[in-house]
Every structure is written in C-alpha cells, then in structure tokens.
Amino acid sequence: MSPQITASSWLDAMLVGICLLAAVQQSERLSQAPAYRALALFFALLAGWFSLQIASDALPDEEARLTGIGLPVFSSLAPSFWFYLRDIASDREIRVQPNDWPHLILPALALVFGVLMWVIPASILLPVFSGPHPGIGPVGALRWIAQGLGLATLGQVLVYAVLGFRLYIKTDRRVKDLFATTTSRDLIWLHRLVLLGGLAAVTAIIAAFLPFQWVGESLRSAWDLVLILTLAVWAGRQSPVFALDTPSPQRTVTRLATPQTPPAYSRSSLDETRQAEIAKRLDKALRIDHLHLNPMITLPDLARAVGAKPGHLSQTLNQHMGTSFFELINRHRILEAKRLLLTCEDTILDIAYRVGFNSRSSFYKCFRDICGMSPSRYRQENLPEE
C-alpha cells in the first residue's frame, strides 16, 4: 500500500514541533517547581503521539505495530497531565506515592498489548486493521482489544476531567484560607483546560465514526492544534498556586506552610477561651493596625502579627468567627473603601489600590458581592447632596 500524506499529516507535523518546543520550555523550568517535569513529559508524549499519526499515514502497512506503540503513549497522556495539575496546586512537593498505582493500570495494560503487537509476526498482524473486521478469532481478538483500549482511554479522559473539577473546588477553598488576594492565583484556567479536554475526547469519538475518514482526521488534527496551543499557553504559564515570588534579581519560589490542622479540628487543643483571645488580637490588628491594607498579606503573616499559629488562626476564623481568611480581610477592605468613597475624591481605581486590592476587576467583584452594587453606584447614592 502506497504512503498517504494528507492535510492531517501536515497539521500533525506542526503539532510535533509545538509539543517539542513546549517540552523543552517546561524542562528549563524544573528549578522553579518539580511539577513542570510532569508537564514536560506530557508534551513529549504528545509529540510522540502525533509523530505516530504521521507514520501511520506514511506507512499504512505498519498500522498494527504503530498502534502497539501508540496505545501506551495515548493512555499515558491524561495521567501525566493529572500529576502536573496535582503538584502545581499543592502547597508542597508531592513525590511518587504507593497509592499512585491506579493511574498506571491502563498505560501498563496498553504497554503489554503493544509489546505483544511487536512480537507477533507481521503476516498475522496485517489483516488486523486492514479491510473488514477479521471476526472473533485470535486476529479479531487483537482488533477488539485495541479498540477496547482506545475507548477506555477516551473514558479515562472524562474520569480525569471529573478529578480536575474536584481539584479546582478543593484548591479554590484552600487558596481563600491562605491568601487575601487571589488575582495571581486565578484558577479559571483549570476549568477551561478540563472543559477542553472533555471536548477533545468527544471530538475524537466523533471523528472515529465519521463516514469520511479524511474529513474526520482533518477535523481531529485541526481541533488538536487549537487544543495544544491553548495548553501550551495556559498550562505553560501557570506558576505553583501556593508559591510566593521573592523580590530579588534571581527569581526564586518558596512554598507557604499551610495550616496542618484537620478540617474538623478534632485533634486541636485550642479551646474557646484561647480562640476568643486570638479573635480580640485579630480585631486590633485589623481595626487599629490596618494590616488588611497590605495587598500581599497571607494567613501566616497575620498569624505572626497576632502571635498565633497559622492552624490556630484558621480554626479561630472558622469556628469562633464563622468566616474565612479571604472573607475577613476583604470585608475590612471594603469597609475602608466605602469610607474613602464618601470622604475623598480619589478615583475608584486609586481607592482599590489603597485598600489592598491589586486589580480593578477583583475590587469590583468583591464590592458587588458584599454591597450588592458597584463602587460608583455606592458613591453616587450615598454622597450628601450639595
């Protein structure tokens, strides 16, 4: 059978180049965070996958053997990207753990199948993917296994999409327990990546069943190009969610120590009297010392200021005061902003910066959430008439 070079082959060649560049870029960021190792692996696997697509078009007689290589590669994509998301959203370096083995089950099965495809003689493999389905014999079983592994991998993407949404919810809650400003830690990129991954799986399924294979492959390659470019931009630019950049000529990243107290504080020795004492010092730090005006303040910073452990301060906020660190700080910021809106002529953006916000959008959103109206409308409705 003669080689076939289609439009999808040219698109796949572009994708190979993009993925290799992204893999190299992420490898150079390993000194910043170990999470980029998994992302570099993800892009390297993608480059290998698209290279196999090109080889399948150029060498149709080797489709069965190339499928044997492609299945382990394809089934390793979602786990490698999941490991990246898990570490980039963690407050500490996550090393390989024994309970990570479920993520490797499908890639291991695909690898065993791939080795089998290379051991079986080519004369037996030839009819596996050429012509009509060979039936339920040994050769037909190979084709059924290959198709089953392919569909299982598409289902795997949907499973990791669910895990991604759960990670988003958990991380968003923890961010607000530690930081008063979340502008640089916006997690909307995670939502979009999960959505695009799900759409990619659906597109792959549709393309597999289109009656005109050329149209299906071209649509698949075009969509992959959009998806990979988006991944390279969004995922590649994301910094560790719980990292702080220290202002120095050599950019370094340090991890924040998050409260280690269990969610229900079942093991905490902090009683109500001690919580009330911490709350009193906390009120002074905000009402008199105005620590909330510091745009970079974190829960550990505030804990040091009131002479408490971060875990004890977190417990006091949740149990004694019924709020979170994020809500407490921004509520005080909005109170100060309301005062300034009615007592000075500064612009709304200037006021936003003065009270500790670092962007107009975050100030407007927080003001609306607390006051039910925009800052400009609040100023207009509450300024005394001259």
Side-chain angles (χ1 to χ4, degrees), residues 54-93:
I54 299 172
S56 295
D57 289 337
L59 303 170
D61 291 340
E62 297 295 330
E63 183 178 0
R65 294 188 185 279
L66 292 173
T67 300
I69 302 175
L71 282 174
V73 173
F74 189 39
S75 60
S76 299
L77 290 173
S80 62
F81 194 70
W82 165 251
F83 289 140
Y84 158 71
L85 292 179
R86 188 184 66 174
D87 197 33
I88 207 74
S90 174
D91 61 339
R92 62 187 61 83
E93 181 180 349

Side-chain angles (χ1 to χ4, degrees), residues 73-371:
V73 173
F74 189 39
S75 60
S76 299
L77 290 173
S80 62
F81 194 70
W82 165 251
F83 289 140
Y84 158 71
L85 292 179
R86 188 184 66 174
D87 197 33
I88 207 74
S90 174
D91 61 339
R92 62 187 61 83
E93 181 180 349
I94 299 180
R95 302 184 183 278
V96 178
Q97 303 172 357
N99 59 0
D100 286 336
W101 65 267
H103 299 281
L104 306 178
I105 292 177
L106 189 58
L109 291 175
L111 180 60
V112 171
F113 177 76
V115 172
L116 182 64
M117 297 290 279
W118 278 87
V119 172
I120 297 175
S123 58
I124 298 178
L125 287 179
L126 187 60
V128 171
F129 293 99
S130 60
H133 200 288
I136 58 174
V139 176
L142 290 175
R143 186 161 175 177
W144 282 115
I145 293 173
Q147 292 176 346
L149 288 172
L151 291 176
T153 301
L154 294 177
Q156 176 197 51
V157 174
L158 299 180
V159 171
Y160 280 106
V162 174
L163 291 176
F165 278 117
R166 291 178 58 186
L167 178 67
Y168 168 80
I169 295 171
K170 178 182 177 181
T171 305
D172 184 64
R173 186 183 303 117
R174 291 173 60 236
V175 163
K176 291 182 178 179
D177 281 339
L178 280 170
F179 302 101
T181 300
T182 59
T183 301
S184 61
R185 305 169 206 281
D186 186 8
L187 299 178
I188 191 63
W189 61 274
L190 180 55
H191 258 210
R192 292 170 179 169
L193 289 179
V194 170
L195 178 61
L196 285 174
L199 290 175
V202 173
T203 303
I205 294 173
I206 294 175
F209 291 100
L210 281 179
F212 300 104
Q213 187 65 17
W214 184 88
V215 175
E217 289 298 314
S218 297
L219 286 176
R220 188 268 306 165
S221 297
W223 175 248
D224 287 343
L225 182 61
V226 174
L227 177 62
I228 300 308
L229 284 173
T230 306
L231 283 173
V233 173
W234 282 347
R237 290 169 54 188
Q238 180 65 27
S239 298
V241 176
F242 293 97
L244 287 178
D245 296 335
T246 56
S248 61
Q250 294 292 329
R251 181 177 180 271
T252 59
V253 175
T254 57
R255 296 280 187 175
L256 279 178
T258 56
Q260 297 300 309
T261 318
Y265 307 107
S266 57
R267 300 179 182 177
S268 175
S269 60
L270 193 66
D271 56 23
E272 283 291 334
T273 302
R274 175 63 173 159
Q275 290 185 38
E277 182 183 344
I278 294 175
K280 183 178 179 180
R281 293 205 300 265
L282 180 60
D283 178 69
K284 176 180 179 296
L286 299 177
R287 183 170 49 85
I288 299 177
D289 299 333
H290 304 292
L291 295 184
H292 57 281
L293 300 182
N294 176 7
M296 300 304 294
I297 192 169
T298 65
L299 184 135
D301 294 334
L302 190 57
R304 284 191 294 270
V306 300
K309 296 180 180 179
H312 287 174
L313 178 57
S314 178
Q315 183 178 354
T316 300
L317 290 171
N318 284 272
Q319 287 188 339
H320 186 78
M321 304 179 66
T323 187
S324 68
F325 174 71
F326 180 85
E327 294 168 347
L328 176 74
I329 294 298
N330 285 295
R331 187 166 66 245
H332 279 78
R333 287 174 174 175
I334 295 303
L335 286 174
E336 179 66 11
K338 290 168 66 176
R339 185 186 69 81
L340 292 174
L341 285 169
L342 303 181
T343 57
C344 72
E345 297 181 355
D346 290 354
T347 66
I348 292 177
L349 183 59
D350 287 338
I351 291 176
Y353 288 141
R354 284 181 61 180
V355 300
F357 290 93
N358 54 16
S359 74
R360 180 187 180 93
S361 60
S362 61
F363 173 62
Y364 264 76
K365 182 180 184 304
C366 189
F367 198 97
R368 284 182 179 276
D369 290 343
I370 294 176
C371 301

Side-chain angles (χ1 to χ4, degrees), residues 37-47 76-78 80-81 228 231:
R37 182 181 296 108
L39 188 59
L41 174 62
F42 172 77
F43 281 117
L45 289 170
L46 274 177
S76 299
L77 290 173
S80 62
F81 194 70
I228 300 308
L231 283 173

